């Protein structure tokens, strides 16, 4: 699963678009949904999640997703004998619920933003919807975001020190020309430096997938109202880096009043061949 925070949504936004996220199946490891508190009241929201909650890796809605051809290209690269001794990281491809829920939420965010299809038809200079992610890993999440819409750009932060990462990045650059930008180096350093630039591009969706102990906090601190924050799957909700260990980021964000109303669900276990 993953963690998702809804940052400082206004009551007008929620009442206009009816996007209540109900309680899902609670479990130890899995998807977390959270409201963030802010100056405005948090109103109720509704998302149709029945199909997502019941999805499996064998269901056509997942197997036939637009992202699958690009995931196969990535898998062909990482499976090469050239990289047989390299550690493969990342794992959104293991989690159909996470994959489809993130897709649903981004589509809904785009529909109500100035990047919606209607807005684009009316205004030629409409800004694109930009995803900022820390932790490129094997590129599956970046490919997922890029495959959702031609109006999505991705800015990804990673050390890119694993041998297959730059070849995967090059493939995505070929498939989605001009829509993916990478920042190489330790995201604990490169992310705040990037976000603090006066001309830094706006991030409309935040995906904190690295183990840097400050990435999620940095992303939230520089986010505007209405931004979605997600975090990657972890083996435990009590991990010390991301979720709710004593010094973990989501714990701090919750204690500081940045997020609330947290909900989680588990993914089914998957055994890779």
């Amino acid at each position: 699963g993953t963690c998702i925070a809804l940052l400082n949504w206004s009551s007008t936004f929620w009442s206009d678009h009816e996007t209540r996220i109900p309680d899902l199946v609670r479990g130890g490891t899995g998807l977390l949904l959270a409201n963030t508190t802010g100056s405005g009241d948090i109103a109720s929201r509704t998302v149709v999640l029945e199909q997502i909650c019941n999805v499996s890796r064998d269901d056509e809605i997942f197997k036939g997703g637009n992202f699958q051809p690009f995931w196969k290209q990535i898998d062909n690269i990482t499976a090469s004998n050239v990289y047989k001794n390299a550690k493969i990281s990342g794992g959104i491809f293991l989690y159909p619920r996470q994959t489809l829920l993130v897709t649903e939420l981004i589509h809904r965010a785009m529909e109500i933003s100035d990047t919606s299809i209607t807005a684009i038809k009316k205004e030629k200079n409409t800004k694109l919807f930009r995803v900022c992610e820390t932790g490129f890993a094997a590129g599956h999440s970046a490919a997922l975001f890029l495959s959702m819409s031609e109006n999505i750009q991705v800015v990804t932060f990673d050390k890119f020190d694993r041998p297959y990462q730059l070849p995967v990045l090059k493939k995505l650059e070929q498939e989605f020309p001009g829509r993916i930008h990478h920042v190489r180096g330790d995201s604990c350093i490169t992310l705040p430096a990037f976000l603090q630039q006066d001309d830094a591009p706006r991030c409309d969706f935040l995906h904190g997938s690295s183990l840097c102990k400050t990435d999620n906090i940095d992303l939230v601190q520089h986010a505007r109202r209405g931004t979605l924050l997600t975090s990657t799957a972890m083996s435990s909700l009590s991990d010390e880096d991301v979720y709710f260990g004593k010094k973990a980021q989501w714990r701090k964000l919750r204690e500081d009043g940045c997020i609330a109303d947290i909900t989680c669900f588990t993914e089914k276990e998957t055994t890779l061949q």
Side-chain angles (χ1 to χ4, degrees):
T2 185
C3 290
I4 297 179
L6 307 173
L7 304 181
N8 296 326
W9 295 102
S10 69
S11 56
T12 300
F13 172 90
W14 292 120
S15 60
D16 285 350
H17 296 92
E18 295 184 347
T19 48
R20 169 186 290 276
I21 300 178
D23 286 347
L24 302 180
V25 180
R26 295 184 177 276
T29 308
L31 182 64
L32 290 171
L33 304 173
N35 285 343
T36 60
T37 60
S39 57
D41 293 331
I42 304 294
S44 63
R45 54 216 195 277
T46 303
V47 172
V48 179
L49 292 175
E50 181 177 356
Q51 192 171 21
I52 293 174
C53 288
N54 295 324
V55 72
S56 71
R57 285 173 52 84
D58 295 327
D59 288 343
E60 186 59 31
I61 190 175
F62 180 74
K63 290 171 56 178
N66 293 338
F67 48 87
Q68 288 289 359
F70 305 108
W71 284 5
K72 289 179 181 178
Q73 292 181 25
I74 291 173
D75 294 342
N76 288 338
I77 293 174
T78 59
S80 170
N81 287 333
V82 177
Y83 311 120
K84 63 181 180 180
N85 295 322
K87 181 180 178 181
I88 304 298
S89 60
I92 195 170
F93 58 90
L94 296 173
Y95 307 122
R97 288 178 176 176
Q98 175 185 341
T99 298
L100 297 182
L101 180 59
V102 167
T103 300
E104 171 73 10
L105 293 178
I106 288 180
H107 282 160
R108 287 176 179 261
M110 293 182 71
E111 287 174 1
I112 58 175
S113 73
D114 60 356
T115 59
S116 68
I117 295 175
T118 301
I120 289 171
K121 289 180 179 178
K122 293 181 179 179
E123 184 181 348
K124 294 182 180 179
N125 295 323
T126 300
K127 293 181 180 179
L128 298 178
F129 190 93
R130 186 172 292 105
V131 176
C132 295
E133 72 164 9
T134 60
F136 179 78
H140 291 89
S141 59
L144 171 66
F145 299 136
L146 292 165
S147 69
M148 290 181 193
S149 168
E150 63 182 10
N151 300 312
I152 289 179
Q153 289 184 340
V154 171
V155 182
T156 183
F157 299 79
D158 200 292
K159 293 179 180 179
F160 290 96
D161 55 355
R162 296 182 180 178
Y164 55 81
Q165 288 185 298
L166 290 179
V168 170
L169 177 65
K170 183 178 180 180
K171 171 58 67 174
L172 293 182
E173 289 174 336
Q174 293 172 346
E175 294 290 345
F176 307 100
R179 293 177 48 206
I180 183 168
H181 172 68
H182 73 287
V183 180
R184 193 170 184 175
D186 184 347
S187 61
C188 290
I189 300 172
T190 60
L191 178 63
F194 177 87
L195 295 174
Q196 290 168 13
Q197 297 177 92
D198 292 336
D199 58 347
R202 183 187 73 192
C203 296
D204 302 293
F205 183 90
L206 314 172
H207 187 57
S209 293
S210 72
L211 293 181
C212 169
K213 295 186 178 182
T214 56
D215 278 353
N216 285 267
I217 295 172
D218 285 332
L219 288 170
V220 169
Q221 287 180 340
H222 291 85
R224 68 189 181 101
R225 166 172 276 180
T227 304
L228 288 167
L229 168 71
T230 72
S231 292
T232 189
M234 302 299 293
S235 58
S236 170
L237 296 183
S238 299
D239 81 283
E240 294 297 328
D241 295 313
V242 179
Y243 284 169
F244 298 106
K246 290 183 179 180
K247 297 183 179 179
Q249 297 173 78
W250 273 67
R251 184 186 185 104
K252 177 174 175 55
L253 290 169
R254 181 181 62 183
E255 291 177 349
D256 289 347
C258 299
I259 59 176
D261 298 337
I262 298 169
T263 304
C264 64
F265 68 79
T266 58
E267 297 272 4
K268 295 180 180 180
E269 291 186 1
T270 300
T271 302
L272 297 178
Q273 301 299 321

